[in-house]
Amino acid sequence: MRPQPAPATSYTADDSNVWQNLRSSFAMADCDADPGITMWARRYTSNPERFEDQLAAAAPRLAYVQQVAARHNVAGEFALIPWVESQYRPIAGSKGMPAGMWQIMPQTANAMGIRVDKNFDGRMDVPAATDAIMALLSRYHDDLGDWRLVDYAFNAGEFGIKRVVSQHGSPPAEPVIPKMPVKPVTREHLVKLLAIACVIRDPGRFNVSLPTLSSEQRLVTVSVDNSMPIARAASHAGMSTDELKDINAAFRNGMVDTNASPYLLLPSNKVQQFRNSLLAENNNGTQNVPGTATLPPLGAALSAADGDDASSAPTKSNGGGKRTHTVKSGESLWSIARRYSVDIKQLELWNHLQGAVVKPGQILKVSAPG
């Protein structure tokens, strides 16, 4: 059994160490391992000012992803996949096409238990999609044992890469970009990933500076007990509707639907205003107040739903005090773990699951047996 994911980081008042944290978690080759790496690194930074602006816009999401990668013991380079795929933008996919900053295909989302329908697209839910992807990458590494092959599998599909490995064997350490019978786009995906990691390793080499990210800019999840229009949620947070929609793009019909997702992602400096405004509204008799529990350390919301009350969730109690949950359509193991404030790995262990995929109607134990 592989080690349990590390706890989420608690950030200090002005933590600008995201880049050092990222560098220290890198596990693959450096800039000079292949000429294509430096070529793509220079292409990314050909306009230094534009690159710095793009990276500054992406930094809050990148820091969030890096934290989830650390929890799953995934190499730091994979926190940069959304740069290669979308530059961390919440790209909406047309029917049958990939979507979200991870560019997840509909069939892949279905296999991972991510809800996708006309009202909600979980591929654009940053917390849920990121956790699902990191769990997938961790499993790929358990199976393949080589982070380079993990990236190949992410791009080309797990079973295709396993088939190549069974026919040709695992690649040697050199060359860094394995010479295997895969499509050029798959090989280039790895080159691009190592290239953006190269820029993070040595920004001065490419005449760029990495942005500082204060704790106030970090993204955290905040529980919401009642559905409401996105415009009203934005007003409570002191944000424009477009700003809130950009980081909560999974909601597709103008509503924060708590049946689809019981939380919002907010910059940490907007959380207290959001709560205070909702409390004031409740005191005026117009709305029940959501999640009023004490705000946890920044980042702790990654592993436990902030303010969720598991005792209010629909469960069945057996004679020995064990609780169960019947999986509903659109739910994932990740969302169920959040609801009951338990670790997703505990759910997998208690229910003898071989992965994070669950199906509607499935009955899960959500407390320790006995």
Side-chain angles (χ1 to χ4, degrees):
M1 180 180 294
R2 60 185 169 85
Q4 290 293 309
T9 306
S10 297
Y11 299 116
T12 57
D14 187 23
D15 181 3
S16 59
N17 290 327
V18 59
W19 308 115
Q20 186 54 46
N21 293 339
L22 195 56
R23 292 185 196 106
S24 66
S25 65
F26 285 164
M28 289 191 279
D30 62 18
C31 297
D32 298 316
D34 184 275
I37 296 174
T38 50
M39 182 195 75
W40 267 102
R42 295 194 184 284
R43 185 175 297 185
Y44 282 141
T45 56
S46 59
N47 184 327
E49 184 176 353
R50 183 177 63 185
F51 173 82
E52 290 170 358
D53 288 344
Q54 291 170 334
L55 193 59
R61 286 185 178 91
L62 189 158
Y64 193 101
V65 172
Q66 187 271 329
Q67 188 181 18
V68 181
R71 290 180 58 232
H72 285 276
N73 297 316
V74 170
E77 287 92 342
F78 290 90
L80 300 169
I81 281 182
W83 177 271
V84 177
E85 297 289 338
S86 65
Q87 290 187 357
Y88 296 86
R89 294 172 296 172
I91 298 174
S94 56
K95 187 174 182 180
M97 298 300 290
M101 69 180 186
W102 293 100
Q103 288 292 276
I104 301 171
M105 292 293 291
Q107 58 267 35
T108 305
N110 182 62
M112 292 193 296
I114 294 176
R115 174 177 170 175
V116 179
D117 57 40
K118 66 179 181 179
N119 295 320
F120 186 83
D121 190 339
R123 296 174 295 174
M124 294 190 286
D125 181 332
V126 172
T130 298
D131 192 81
I133 287 290
M134 290 301 169
L136 191 71
L137 296 174
S138 178
R139 182 171 64 78
Y140 284 175
H141 190 257
D142 286 346
D143 294 343
L144 296 167
D146 187 322
W147 289 117
R148 299 172 301 167
L149 296 182
V150 171
D151 187 70
Y152 276 11
F154 177 86
N155 181 260
E158 171 188 8
F159 298 110
I161 298 304
K162 284 184 176 179
R163 187 165 53 250
V164 170
V165 171
S166 68
Q167 293 171 353
H168 300 274
S170 297
E174 299 289 342
V176 166
I177 309 301
K179 290 186 176 180
M180 303 176 71
V182 297
K183 294 181 179 180
V185 67
T186 299
R187 189 173 292 106
E188 186 175 70
H189 191 276
L190 177 58
V191 174
K192 289 178 177 179
L193 183 62
L194 295 179
I196 186 61
C198 167
V199 177
I200 302 303
R201 284 182 193 272
D202 191 4
R205 179 173 179 174
F206 304 96
N207 300 311
V208 296
S209 298
L210 305 182
T212 297
L213 185 69
S214 69
S215 61
E216 288 78 10
Q217 296 171 283
R218 303 276 183 158
L219 298 176
V220 296
T221 53
V222 180
S223 66
V224 180
D225 290 345
N226 300 282
S227 299
M228 68 183 75
I230 289 177
R232 185 165 69 181
S235 176
H236 285 317
M239 302 170 66
S240 72
T241 301
D242 286 344
E243 286 176 324
L244 188 70
K245 286 174 65 176
D246 184 62
I247 55 176
N248 294 277
F251 299 108
R252 304 174 77 175
N253 63 355
M255 289 290 296
V256 175
D257 181 359
T258 56
N259 290 320
S261 177
Y263 56 81
L264 281 170
L265 197 62
L266 293 175
S268 65
N269 64 346
K270 300 294 184 181
V271 171
Q272 203 59 53
Q273 178 176 345
F274 180 76
R275 286 183 170 150
N276 290 343
S277 181
L278 283 168
L279 183 61
E281 184 177 72
N282 179 64
N283 289 338
N284 289 332
T286 58
Q287 180 75 17
N288 291 328
V289 64
T292 55
T294 304
L295 181 65
L298 298 184
L302 283 167
S303 56
D306 177 20
D308 282 356
D309 181 2
S311 65
S312 66
T315 63
K316 295 180 180 179
S317 179
N318 298 325
K322 293 181 291 185
R323 290 187 299 167
T324 62
H325 176 91
T326 302
V327 180
K328 300 175 185 176
S329 177
E331 287 187 317
S332 67
L333 196 64
W334 188 87
S335 65
I336 295 168
R338 285 182 54 82
R339 181 165 196 162
Y340 295 100
S341 298
V342 298
D343 190 277
I344 191 170
K345 295 300 175 186
Q346 284 293 331
L347 289 182
E348 292 179 3
L349 181 64
W350 293 338
N351 294 281
H352 308 290
L353 301 177
Q354 298 303 311
V357 177
V358 290
K359 297 179 179 179
Q362 186 173 354
I363 298 175
L364 299 177
K365 296 174 184 175
V366 293
S367 65

